[in-house]
Amino acid sequence: MANVVVVGAQWGDEGKGKIVDWLSERADVIARFQGGHNAGHTLVIDGVTYKLSLLPSGILRPGKLGVIGNGVVLDPWALISEIEKIEAQGVSVTTENLVIAENVPLILPVHQDLDRLREDAAGRAKIGTTGRGIGPAYEDKVGRRAVRLADLADPATLEARLDRLLAHHDPLRRGLGQPGIDRDALKAKLEEIAPKVLPFAAPVWKLLAERRRAGDRILFEGAQGALLDIDFGTYPYVTSSNTLGGMAATGTGLGPGSIDFVLGIVKAYTTRVGEGPFPTELDDAVGQHLAEVGREKGTVTGRDRRCGWFDAVLVRQTCTTSGVNGIALTKLDVLDGLEELKICVGYELDGSRVDYLPIASEQQARVTPVYETMAGWSASTAGARSWAELPAEAIKYVRRIEELIHCPVAMLSTSPERDDTILVTDPFAD
């Protein structure tokens, strides 16, 4: 059976939550493979809005198994809080429909402290983190001093992990003018949360392999977007994990041969939250239109998103680095009513034409977009569920995007509602 990876192909906020939820009806297992609670998904189902950060989107569907893989960094307190909120909306979360990789690294209060302290100290050089401890937690993971979920069940191992953790963090805190970590208080917090999260722990790599052999369909759910990837994003204004399609394999322990289709989620325009380059950003009435009609505020942070024209150069680049087989184009309806539309088809840099975003930060800041102009449409695309319901100009816009990014549109989303989706190619088709 086909297994599908869903990744963002821009700077995040592309509408992955709705698409994953829509696809999860066809899947048996939905697995998160990177990121933390610094990014969120907003889903609207039967008029009810759900906001998820850590829980896989498929948790909203009965009979599906949600998985949090080892590539995620997990704040156990945020997880329990999210479970309680979603249960208050009538969604049950138990060990029957949620499992967490036993080797997942934990985000601790010290990580959040360090995140905010360093960002404050950076001043104008800040990178715009969410302050939720994601980066410091990943640093401790690769520094081999992380507390992992399974450690909460082993007192001796937990003691050793805390020794190594404090040996690193205490000097850092003193250098920032802060007192050292209260070890006893931290240990007590971990011992208190342990019985609430340990029941979900499992060898996810083994479980997924068994489910795959049994013929179950697995949907791998990414967070953020490819332009925030630690290696291929607009560094240093990126997240602290790999957000590309290939991370689905290492972030769950299931090999790359298990991936059959990579679906890239792409907005019909471009947005980003926080600092960093943005070649097609608009500071005019059109940018304001996109922000207002698209309701462009971060699900987790509530920060206003910067808005701009569709950048085909960037999406073509991310489709390549993530191995995207097809895209899901979202928020087409936000463009309704605009007389003309522009698509970035290249960049100018120091008098030369370039067809990709340079890796050097100072060059990224200096590129200027080369635009192609297309006619807009006055009719509404909102809620369309077939090509026949779309204006001719909207179809031309979609087809031109396909040509420019060298990748076909597999799905088209025309509203936040689950069923307002046009399916062109079923990613789960065998």
Side-chain angles (χ1 to χ4, degrees), residues 2-62:
N3 299 316
V4 176
V5 178
V6 174
V7 292
Q10 292 161 308
W11 276 294
D13 309 310
E14 302 96 347
K16 292 183 292 297
K18 171 195 167 172
I19 299 300
V20 169
D21 174 67
W22 195 90
L23 288 170
S24 66
E25 185 177 21
R26 294 161 170 74
D28 302 292
V29 181
I30 299 89
R32 279 281 312 274
F33 60 84
Q34 51 77 220
H37 65 306
N38 55 333
H41 296 328
T42 299
L43 301 96
V44 181
I45 302 172
D46 297 329
V48 180
T49 300
Y50 301 89
K51 294 188 176 183
L52 306 178
S53 294
L54 278 168
L55 293 171
S57 297
I59 203 76
L60 301 175
R61 287 190 179 274

Side-chain angles (χ1 to χ4, degrees), residues 62-83:
K64 310 297 181 181
L65 176 65
V67 171
I68 297 177
N70 56 276
V72 174
V73 282
L74 180 77
D75 182 326
W77 298 276
L79 174 70
I80 297 304
S81 175
E82 188 172 324
I83 289 174

Side-chain angles (χ1 to χ4, degrees), residues 2 36 56 89 101 109 129 189 197 213-214 291-292 295 327 379-380 388 422 424:
Q89 292 183 280
T129 77
K189 284 178 68 71
V197 293
R213 282 196 296 270
E292 291 177 356
R295 299 179 182 179
I327 68 166
S380 174
I422 300 171
V424 181

Side-chain angles (χ1 to χ4, degrees), residues 112-227:
Q112 296 169 342
D113 289 347
L114 183 59
D115 205 354
R116 290 188 287 264
L117 287 168
R118 290 198 301 205
E119 193 76 340
D120 290 343
R124 294 178 61 185
K126 67 179 181 178
I127 59 175
T129 77
T130 61
R132 284 167 168 76
I134 309 300
Y138 273 118
E139 290 176 40
D140 281 350
K141 173 184 178 178
V142 298
R144 295 164 292 180
R145 52 182 172 266
V147 176
R148 303 198 292 183
L149 181 56
D151 300 337
L152 301 185
D154 183 349
T157 299
L158 180 59
E159 291 285 356
R161 294 283 189 268
L162 290 175
D163 284 344
R164 187 168 174 83
L165 184 80
L166 270 61
H168 175 78
H169 279 271
D170 278 347
L172 280 178
R173 291 174 64 90
R174 286 194 292 270
L176 290 166
Q178 300 296 314
I181 299 167
D182 186 334
R183 179 195 176 101
D184 292 339
L186 175 57
K187 182 181 175 183
K189 284 178 68 71
L190 289 170
E191 290 173 340
E192 180 184 17
I193 199 69
K196 298 179 181 180
V197 293
L198 278 173
F200 296 104
V204 158
W205 64 272
K206 184 174 182 292
L207 174 64
L208 291 179
E210 291 170 351
R211 297 293 290 259
R212 185 183 177 220
R213 282 196 296 270
D216 285 352
R217 288 175 167 176
I218 303 171
L219 181 62
F220 300 90
E221 177 182 7
Q224 289 109 4
L227 293 171

Side-chain angles (χ1 to χ4, degrees), residues 321-350:
T321 55
S322 266
V324 172
N325 301 104
I327 68 166
L329 192 66
T330 67
K331 289 199 167 186
L332 184 67
D333 54 301
V334 175
L335 302 180
D336 292 353
L338 294 175
E339 291 186 7
E340 68 175 25
L341 306 173
K342 293 184 179 181
I343 299 176
C344 176
V345 296
Y347 301 131
E348 290 282 349
L349 177 63
D350 300 334

